[in-house]
């Protein structure tokens, strides 16, 4: 359950933030609007839909890269936390126990 929940959380976060990352990367690289796209005669008639599609280009590989990694890291964190918690609780009960003579 925690694997699926963390996968879905990262999936949604990546879909929301991916266009921002693309724009930041283009800005840092100094790519101006229209420079990276092939030129066409109907350049002025670009629809909003095609702009959004261009912002999400490459999303599949980003999702594969980040979602599984995030989900596996979360599961590993949960398991490690459970192991450490059980060790600390068992040590705490041993310390407060009456000494055996």
């Amino acid at each position: 359950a925690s694997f699926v929940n963390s996968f879905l959380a990262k999936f949604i976060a990546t879909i929301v933030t991916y266009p921002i990352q693309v724009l930041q990367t283009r800005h840092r690289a100094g790519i101006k609007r229209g420079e990276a796209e092939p030129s066409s005669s109907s350049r002025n008639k670009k629809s909003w839909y095609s702009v959004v599609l261009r912002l999400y280009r490459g999303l599949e590989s980003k999702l594969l890269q980040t979602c599984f990694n995030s989900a596996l890291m979360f599961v590993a964190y949960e398991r490690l936390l459970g192991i450490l918690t059980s060790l600390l609780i068992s040590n705490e009960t041993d310390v407060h126990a009456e000494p055996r003579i």
Side-chain angles (χ1 to χ4, degrees), residues 26 46-56:
R26 287 182 184 176
K46 290 180 182 175
S47 67
W48 183 80
Y49 182 72
S50 66
V51 171
V52 171
L53 283 180
R54 245 181 282 121
L55 286 176
Y56 280 99

Side-chain angles (χ1 to χ4, degrees), residues 5 14-17 23-26 30 32 35 41 52 55 61 63 66 69 71-72 74 78 82 84 97 100:
N5 289 338
T14 302
I15 287 176
V16 170
T17 60
L23 292 174
Q24 284 177 341
T25 303
R26 287 182 184 176
K32 295 180 182 170
E35 208 173 284
S41 60
V52 171
L55 286 176
S61 60
L63 287 172
T66 59
N69 185 31
L72 289 173
F74 186 75
E78 289 288 320
L84 292 175
R100 296 180 187 169

Side-chain angles (χ1 to χ4, degrees), residues 35-94:
E35 208 173 284
E37 299 109 22
S39 59
S40 66
S41 60
S42 62
R43 186 179 229 170
N44 295 332
K45 296 180 181 180
K46 290 180 182 175
S47 67
W48 183 80
Y49 182 72
S50 66
V51 171
V52 171
L53 283 180
R54 245 181 282 121
L55 286 176
Y56 280 99
R57 203 178 283 168
L59 178 65
E60 300 88 10
S61 60
K62 181 72 171 177
L63 287 172
L64 287 173
Q65 174 190 0
T66 59
C67 291
F68 284 111
N69 185 31
S70 177
L72 289 173
M73 291 292 282
F74 186 75
V75 169
Y77 167 78
E78 289 288 320
R79 296 274 170 100
L80 187 61
L81 184 65
I83 291 168
L84 292 175
T85 303
S86 65
L87 286 174
L88 288 173
I89 289 173
S90 67
N91 284 341
E92 197 173 283
T93 56
D94 290 343

